[in-house]
Amino acid sequence: MESFAHIKDGLFPAVCSLDCPDQCGLLIHKQDGKIVKIDGDPAHPVTKGSICNKVRNMGARLYDEKRLKTPLKRVGRKGEGTFVPISWQEAIESICSNWKKLIAKQGPESILPYSFYGNMGKIHSEGMDRRFFYRLGASQLERTICSDAGSEGYRYTMGGSFGTDPEEMTETKLFIFWGINAASTNMHQVMIAQKARKRGAKLIVIDVHKNQTGRMADWFIPIIPGTDAALALGIMHILYNENLVDRAFLKKHTVGYEELEHHVKQYEPDVVSGITGIPVEDIYKLARLYGGTSPSMIRIGNGLQHHDNGGMIVRTISCLPALTGQWLLNGGGAIKSNSAYLNYNTRALQRPDLQRKPTRSINMIQLGQALMEKDNPIYSLFVYGSNPAVVAPNSSKVREGLMREDLFVVVHDLFLTETAAYADIVLPATSSFENRDIYTSYWHHYLHLQEPVIPPYGESKSNADVFRLLAEAMGFGEEAFKDSDEDMIRQAISNVSNPYFPDVTLEELQDKRFVKARDPQSRLQRLNTPSGKIELYSHKMALDGHPPLPTHIPLKEEHSDYPFLFVPGPNHNFLNSTFSHNEKHVRLEKAPQLFIHEEDALRLGIENGDWVRIWNDRGECELPASVGDQVLPGVLVTQGLWADAPGAKRLVNSLTPDREADMGGGAVFFSGKVNAEKLVVVSK
Ligand SMILES: Nc1nc2c(c(=O)[nH]1)N[C@H]1C(S)=C(S)[C@@H](COP(=O)(O)OP(=O)(O)OC[C@H]3O[C@@H](n4cnc5c(=O)[nH]c(N)nc54)[C@H](O)[C@@H]3O)O[C@H]1N2
Ligand SMILES: Nc1nc2c(c(=O)[nH]1)N[C@H]1C(S)=C(S)[C@@H](COP(=O)(O)OP(=O)(O)OC[C@H]3O[C@@H](n4cnc5c(=O)[nH]c(N)nc54)[C@H](O)[C@@H]3O)O[C@H]1N2
Ligand code: SF4
Ligand SMILES: [Mo]
């Protein structure tokens, strides 16, 4: 197989490995064996040569002095961050001798893997690791932190993560960005909309924060957090009442359109206005614009499903395009995630058959609870591709768990993250540019190949290599652990049952670099819902304990003494907590801010720039205020998962709840409540 790792100079193709919908094609410039510049690949059909600043500055991260070069062993207290270098041999022996003892005494379920998508490559994020932990018999991890509530909600309506192809959106006349900060989190979606606007298309943004994306809209609609289902139901009420629905489409392609018509009568615009905070006339204006413009496309974000009712919100919004028959139009419809077009052969890659008996599974958003559990405790945690001490909700509890003296923690990462500071053993990871892997976007429809562009940094190893070493040291003799990355790619892309997956060999992929999923023209003919149609009424939902029709369900009432809903989302220059340790990205992002409405600020005596203490039963933060009309009264917004710093209290997840959303075991980062006061003496 090809590898560019040892070629000293030149221009090499690559793909962005970050957990970002755009999955850009990249061109890597090398001089004297080092990456000197990263550009977009103009040949990529969707991202067309433009990339974000984060990855333009990726070189600073790859060659950051702080990058881990060798395995480390902790010598200081847990959390303190004092380590000494050790050899790989010592590291692997220490992990395996510990695990062998645990397995003999406590059973393999006392070991828990914890990972997410710091690198989206299939082989390295959900390949050899899955094989290893299946074979080990470890507890399984439910990877729900990102989008599971909304994905399940969307699935009830549409049968799976299938939405509009961004390449069709040149035809779109009306874009609704609903709970997505696309200017930061899906920049090519914005570029497509901006191009369409030049030809007269309109852009509406519905959000709880008038951020970068809201400010560029033709119409920004502020909404009270967690009330979006009510708004969608109010739109449906008007669409039915004013005969703006496509009855022929509804009859042919949906089930439950009559029940829905009856059901939405209760969502009178004045009722919906009272729930959402949106004026009645705006609800009419929005419904009429939506009902009167085709093709229209709703880009459903991740933000609005990080709520107690997030599954139902996405379920409800995803019914809208059917009402006006958008799914038959080029550039019409909706997209939450398009990941299912590129579902590959997961059984062949992940080998669930290696598991000898079923094990318990633990929801990753409840890591703190799981680590503090006295019954059948977890005695070892292996973290890779994730930084749970910062990204997981209720982080005080997570850190309390990580402090346990009897918990053996291993962290595999490129940096000594906040989580790694609690580890007994730290392993250095390669970056994605040092590996071979395949990538599938969850927004556009392309499958990509990445060949190694640079050699491994220091003594770092890829995820797959670490699990191969561990398998060998544990004495796992199965052939599955001898497969190379190349073998695994071949297995993942052959015998794929998904009809949209492209018919492609590794050689063809090598030649072309990116290959598109098959055209989903007949999408409506093979919907994967129980009825095979779009389910406006879902019998399956009733069986699963949900209202079968789209419904507004209020957020859980936390303490009534905490008056503010707290929405701590991602920021522009980091990717979750990635880049929060890199000087260049921190400089670009400057500092965190707490957006507060001027009425609330006035009442609390807070002026722009004042430090504010926010707190609840879980924890507290101190952030500088940005006073204005960017958020509604009663809402506080901040952006970014900032790195720990001495004296700084900005770990936003110390305030977020770790309860599950209504569907998919999803996270509810944005449904927490806090109190706020002006801070007179800043502890920083
Ligand atoms: N620059 C950058 N890009 C990223 C990331 C990053 O950290 N930084 N993270 C990546 C990942 S993993 C993901 S999942 C995506 C997430 O990216 P998005 O899908 O954009 O999701 P969020 O930014 O979490 O939230 C989107 C918006 O939802 C709003 N919101 C919150 N609650 C509500 C509500 O109840 N109703 C409405 N209408 N809006 C609400 C927030 O104010 C925010 O503007 O981005 C990816 N891309
Ligand atoms: N308050 C709040 N919390 C949130 C969110 C929010 O909006 N608000 N968003 C949530 C969402 S949507 C998500 S997806 C999660 C994301 O949470 P995480 O998945 O934990 O994402 P990152 O913080 O980017 O951490 C990824 C880590 O993987 C490491 N890494 C990168 N490549 C590799 C590799 O090849 N091998 C190994 N071993 N390590 C690698 C990186 O260095 C980094 O430390 O955060 C969630 N947390
Ligand atoms: S982070 Fe997103 S926008 Fe930036 S290069 Fe990667 S895929 Fe493209
Ligand atoms: Mo995410």
Side-chain angles (χ1 to χ4, degrees):
M1 286 278 301
E2 211 162 3
S3 165
F4 309 117
H6 296 286
I7 308 177
K8 289 229 170 295
D9 299 279
L11 197 57
F12 304 94
V15 53
C16 179
S17 62
L18 296 176
D19 186 354
C20 169
D22 300 55
Q23 197 155 100
C24 295
L26 305 177
L27 287 178
I28 309 278
H29 301 248
K30 276 175 75 179
Q31 264 173 27
D32 223 5
K34 272 187 84 172
I35 295 177
V36 289
K37 194 172 175 215
I38 300 179
D39 271 333
D41 181 354
H44 193 280
V46 185
T47 60
K48 295 185 174 156
S50 54
I51 57 168
C52 67
N53 243 336
K54 303 185 287 295
V55 170
R56 234 173 238 299
N57 290 312
M58 181 65 112
R61 177 172 156 88
L62 295 174
Y63 300 113
D64 191 317
E65 257 308 294
K66 297 193 293 292
R67 215 179 132 181
L68 296 171
K69 297 181 188 69
T70 66
L72 304 172
K73 181 171 79 178
R74 181 169 57 82
V75 287
R77 277 180 298 111
K78 290 203 174 205
E80 182 187 279
T82 321
F83 293 87
V84 292
I86 52 170
S87 67
W88 270 99
Q89 193 186 349
E90 185 183 344
I92 296 289
E93 275 172 15
S94 149
I95 298 167
C96 291
S97 69
N98 194 291
W99 282 355
K100 281 176 185 163
K101 274 188 228 142
L102 272 182
I103 291 169
K105 261 177 74 185
Q106 319 285 348
E109 280 183 280
S110 62
I111 303 167
L112 177 71
Y114 194 97
S115 76
F116 210 62
Y117 291 93
N119 169 358
M120 293 283 291
K122 301 296 174 203
I123 306 307
H124 295 284
S125 69
E126 53 182 44
M128 197 51 98
D129 57 321
R130 300 295 201 269
R131 292 182 183 188
F132 178 79
F133 288 112
Y134 278 132
R135 173 64 183 81
L136 192 68
S139 289
Q140 292 288 309
L141 186 72
E142 290 165 23
R143 293 178 173 81
T144 55
I145 202 165
C146 179
S147 59
D148 279 29
S151 299
E152 188 164 321
Y154 192 89
R155 194 179 313 126
Y156 280 126
T157 308
M158 296 299 296
S161 293
F162 300 102
T164 312
D165 178 351
E167 285 181 281
E168 285 177 26
M169 293 178 197
T170 45
E171 309 286 322
T172 306
K173 294 283 188 310
L174 176 67
F175 290 85
I176 302 181
F177 289 179
W178 203 327
I180 182 168
N181 183 13
S184 295
T185 63
N186 190 188
M187 64 175 271
H188 295 88
Q189 179 66 79
V190 171
M191 291 172 76
I192 291 171
Q194 298 293 49
K195 240 179 161 173
R197 282 171 91 185
K198 291 209 175 103
R199 289 189 307 273
K202 292 276 176 279
L203 170 63
I204 296 175
V205 172
I206 305 171
D207 204 296
V208 305
H209 180 206
K210 191 167 186 179
N211 52 32
Q212 305 90 313
T213 311
R215 289 197 292 275
M216 70 171 62
D218 293 296
W219 185 19
F220 173 73
I221 304 176
I223 187 167
I224 294 171
T227 66
D228 301 80
L231 176 60
L233 289 156
I235 297 173
M236 293 180 201
H237 173 99
I238 298 167
L239 293 177
Y240 274 113
N241 257 3
E242 302 193 354
N243 209 17
L244 292 167
V245 294
D246 182 340
R247 290 198 183 263
F249 180 93
L250 286 172
K251 205 163 172 196
K252 184 156 180 219
H253 296 291
T254 72
V255 290
Y257 66 97
E258 282 158 334
E259 289 93 329
L260 183 65
E261 178 165 13
H262 181 72
H263 172 75
V264 298
K265 285 195 197 310
Q266 61 188 301
Y267 292 96
E268 299 267 3
D270 60 330
V271 174
V272 170
S273 174
I275 299 171
T276 60
I278 301 172
V280 170
E281 58 276 17
D282 283 352
I283 300 171
Y284 274 108
K285 184 175 149 193
L286 176 61
R288 288 170 184 157
L289 199 59
Y290 186 69
T293 319
S294 285
S296 65
M297 202 286 297
I298 306 176
R299 179 69 175 97
I300 306 172
N302 227 44
L304 46 61
Q305 53 96 62
H306 275 160
H307 281 293
D308 292 317
N309 54 7
M312 188 55 113
I313 287 178
V314 174
R315 142 78 173 151
T316 304
I317 295 173
S318 63
C319 291
L320 276 170
L323 264 69
T324 63
Q326 293 304 312
W327 291 111
L328 291 178
L329 307 175
N330 216 23
I335 161 174
K336 158 75 173 63
S337 155
N338 274 350
S339 59
Y341 290 116
L342 288 166
N343 278 348
Y344 62 96
N345 192 340
T346 45
R347 282 193 73 80
L349 182 64
Q350 303 180 352
R351 299 290 307 273
D353 55 296
L354 290 165
Q355 194 185 42
R356 296 181 170 182
K357 58 176 196 216
T359 58
R360 68 172 166 184
S361 45
I362 287 172
N363 189 338
M364 70 188 297
I365 65 163
Q366 291 168 342
L367 178 64
Q369 290 180 44
L371 292 179
M372 298 309 288
E373 182 63 56
K374 297 272 182 297
D375 243 15
N376 200 1
I378 294 162
Y379 285 108
S380 181
L381 184 71
F382 189 103
V383 181
Y384 56 105
S386 182
N387 185 12
V390 176
V391 307
N394 198 357
S395 45
S396 313
K397 192 108 191 228
V398 173
R399 289 176 183 215
E400 198 185 332
L402 290 171
M403 281 301 282
R404 262 178 49 202
E405 278 307 325
D406 60 347
L407 180 75
F408 177 70
V409 179
V410 183
V411 175
H412 183 216
D413 202 296
L414 288 77
F415 288 91
L416 197 67
T417 59
E418 288 80 356
T419 312
Y422 292 87
D424 296 279
I425 302 280
V426 180
L427 305 173
T430 48
S431 76
S432 66
F433 299 141
E434 294 152 48
N435 301 332
R436 172 171 294 118
D437 213 329
I438 48 166
Y439 291 82
T440 62
S441 167
Y442 52 91
W443 174 63
H444 62 64
H445 292 198
Y446 288 83
L447 164 73
H448 305 92
L449 177 69
Q450 170 75 58
E451 306 275 24
V453 176
I454 46 173
Y457 183 80
E459 293 177 24
S460 63
K461 288 189 190 298
S462 72
N463 294 10
D465 278 344
V466 168
F467 290 107
R468 285 187 190 102
L469 281 178
L470 289 170
E472 193 187 343
M474 291 302 292
F476 299 163
E478 288 86 349
E479 285 300 310
F481 297 108
K482 303 201 172 63
D483 287 342
S484 66
D485 295 348
E486 181 186 329
D487 296 332
M488 293 172 79
I489 294 175
R490 285 187 204 283
Q491 293 156 5
I493 64 175
S494 8
N495 303 317
V496 184
S497 57
N498 164 21
Y500 302 117
F501 197 85
D503 186 13
V504 65
T505 62
L506 179 53
E507 284 65 28
E508 284 161 353
L509 194 54
Q510 227 172 353
D511 188 39
K512 297 187 179 135
R513 302 270 150 214
F514 30 79
V515 175
K516 193 171 181 177
R518 289 189 198 169
D519 193 359
Q521 274 305 322
S522 53
R523 185 169 46 205
L524 291 178
Q525 264 78 64
R526 38 161 100 115
L527 284 187
N528 204 15
T529 53
S531 63
K533 295 187 174 190
I534 297 172
E535 299 210 341
L536 305 176
Y537 179 99
S538 163
H539 185 58
K540 184 165 190 318
M541 288 184 80
L543 292 177
D544 293 347
H546 303 292
L549 285 160
T551 302
H552 167 66
I553 299 162
L555 298 183
K556 297 232 157 68
E557 191 46 61
E558 291 198 332
H559 266 276
S560 49
D561 327 347
Y562 301 140
F564 291 100
L565 265 166
F566 179 54
V567 180
N571 66 8
H572 192 75
N573 291 293
F574 305 165
L575 204 125
N576 301 316
S577 79
T578 298
F579 301 120
S580 70
H581 302 95
N582 301 114
E583 232 174 84
K584 197 152 190 177
H585 297 78
V586 172
R587 218 170 33 238
L588 286 169
E589 192 62 38
K590 299 193 182 90
Q593 285 177 289
L594 184 72
F595 296 95
I596 179 168
H597 191 270
E598 49 212 7
E599 280 171 22
D600 290 327
L602 190 66
R603 191 167 37 80
L604 296 172
I606 293 167
E607 289 179 25
N608 217 12
D610 282 350
W611 282 80
V612 181
R613 172 175 175 259
I614 51 176
W615 77 94
N616 60 22
D617 291 354
R618 293 177 286 266
E620 63 172 346
C621 280
E622 295 172 3
L623 300 164
S626 176
V627 178
D629 59 359
Q630 289 202 27
V631 296
L632 291 172
V635 179
L636 297 175
V637 168
T638 185
Q639 294 181 321
L641 298 170
W642 291 78
D644 283 359
K649 291 189 182 169
R650 56 189 192 189
L651 178 63
V652 291
N653 277 323
S654 65
L655 294 158
T656 53
D658 59 0
R659 57 179 183 262
E660 292 183 4
D662 54 348
M663 294 177 198
V668 301
F669 289 109
F670 303 160
S671 288
K673 289 198 130 188
V674 297
N675 209 337
E677 66 180 7
K678 179 174 165 166
L679 200 62
V680 186
V681 183
V682 181
S683 52
K684 196 175 133 93

